[in-house]
Amino acid sequence: MKIRRALISVHDKTGIAAFAQALIGLGIEILSTGGTAKLLRDGGIPVREVADVTGFPEMLDGRVKTLHPRIHGGILARRDVPGHLAALEKHEIEPIDLVVVSLYPFKETVARPGVTRAEAIENIDIGGPAMIRSAAKNHASVGVVTAASQYQAVLDELRASGGSLGEATLYALARDAFRRTAQYDEAIAAYLASDSSTERPAAPDEAFPAALRLEAKRALTLRYGENPHQAAAFYRQDGAPAVGLGSMRQLHGPELGYNNLLDFSAALSLLLEFDRPAAVVIKHTNPCGAALGDTV
């Protein structure tokens, strides 16, 4: 997919000026909003304001900026459907081929001590997820970048291909985009479910959530599962403190298997019974030796 026009609207400005400058160097036009547009313009990077494209200024204290057919039509139009292209031409809507968005920091906001519910609500991003989901849905025609860590790989491919992104890259970016918006919505739902502020009435059934969802990242691919013919992997909960097996680091030895982790878990449980240096020997989760000492 040839990239001719990019829309950039990021809360995390890390690396965005250099990324945008590189896009300009590849002949890609940049649309942008608010603080992002100002940052780019102050850095000497040519940019078109989204308000100039939509014909509407940002309004409602910035709550409405990109929620407009001239933006979402440009993102969602399928390039392989003549009727979509005809609609763009009829309504004078320019296609948008790359969407670069980082969301308001909701999780970071609600993690601050003393944050109010009003502050939390204002950090619920609306336009950002809408653009990300639009671009990800239309990933056959549109690239979607949702983190600064993706900038370099995207630039490398654009430079190597003369300004295009391949099908595999577009699909991978879309898959990651939907994962990010799912995490974002889950963080909001979790906050609202756990909010104990006196600003709202308490519900009688809130001791436990109606649904519990955990986000985890693969930390290890295991040699095999509980039995040799089974595949397995070890995951760490995303954002959770590194404790227990989640904090382990393999120093040497062969690739681990599922049963190794069971033995480690049993060993750790036994070690934590003591308040002084201890060593244990475990076989198939059963302790067959233990020792205490003054030092490790």
Side-chain angles (χ1 to χ4, degrees):
M1 183 64 206
K2 184 78 172 178
I3 306 298
R4 296 180 174 85
R5 186 172 295 105
L7 193 159
I8 302 177
S9 180
V10 293
H11 186 276
D12 179 5
K13 308 289 194 295
T14 304
I16 194 60
F19 182 64
Q21 187 66 66
L23 294 180
I24 291 292
L26 290 164
I28 297 170
E29 181 186 16
I30 294 179
L31 314 179
S32 192
T33 62
T36 305
K38 183 180 185 304
L39 174 74
L40 299 181
R41 193 178 296 109
D42 290 347
I45 299 169
V47 58
R48 285 176 67 192
E49 286 269 7
V50 163
D52 295 334
V53 175
T54 63
F56 280 86
E58 293 184 15
M59 60 181 67
L60 308 182
D61 297 320
R63 286 187 169 200
V64 178
K65 291 180 281 193
T66 56
L67 300 170
H68 193 281
R70 289 190 179 277
I71 299 302
H72 285 273
I75 297 172
L76 281 165
R78 288 179 54 179
R79 280 39 165 192
D80 61 337
V81 177
H84 285 202
L85 299 179
L88 293 186
E89 184 175 0
K90 176 181 178 180
H91 298 288
E92 299 180 334
I93 297 174
E94 298 171 319
I96 296 170
D97 310 307
L98 183 67
V99 171
V100 184
V101 172
S102 69
L103 303 174
Y104 293 172
F106 181 82
K107 286 179 68 173
E108 294 78 3
T109 297
V110 299
R112 293 199 318 259
V115 68
T116 66
R117 187 149 61 98
E119 289 177 283
I121 296 300
E122 282 308 310
N123 274 276
I124 296 176
D125 203 322
I126 301 300
M131 287 189 292
I132 289 173
R133 289 175 61 84
S134 292
K137 175 173 180 173
N138 200 26
H139 63 267
S141 302
V142 181
V144 55
V145 176
T146 52
S149 59
Q150 298 171 326
Y151 293 168
Q152 192 58 55
V154 168
L155 284 178
D156 289 345
E157 182 165 339
L158 288 172
R159 287 166 174 154
S161 64
S164 297
L165 293 176
E167 182 179 354
T169 297
L170 294 172
Y171 182 83
L173 290 171
R175 182 180 58 199
D176 197 55
F178 278 120
R179 180 182 64 81
R180 289 181 189 276
T181 56
Q183 288 177 324
Y184 196 77
D185 285 341
E186 181 56 35
I188 296 168
Y191 168 77
L192 294 176
S194 64
D195 179 19
S196 59
S197 102
T198 56
E199 302 172 45
R200 67 180 181 90
D205 60 348
E206 289 183 349
F208 298 99
L212 178 64
R213 297 181 178 88
L214 302 177
E215 182 76 19
K217 292 183 179 179
R218 189 178 63 222
L220 293 172
T221 299
L222 302 178
R223 187 170 41 173
Y224 55 82
E226 188 169 8
N227 297 293
H229 68 285
Q230 296 170 322
F234 177 70
Y235 286 79
R236 291 189 178 98
Q237 186 178 347
D238 194 23
V243 296
L245 290 186
S247 64
M248 71 178 178
R249 180 166 55 92
Q250 185 172 354
L251 300 178
H252 61 82
E255 185 181 37
L256 299 175
Y258 171 80
N259 291 315
N260 296 134
L261 297 189
L262 286 184
D263 284 347
F264 290 163
S265 180
L268 182 60
S269 296
L270 182 52
L271 289 170
L272 292 175
E273 292 288 329
F274 306 111
D275 58 3
R276 55 189 295 213
V280 299
V281 182
I282 299 287
K283 185 63 175 176
H284 297 311
T285 72
N286 294 307
C288 53
L292 296 175
D294 294 327
T295 68
V296 173

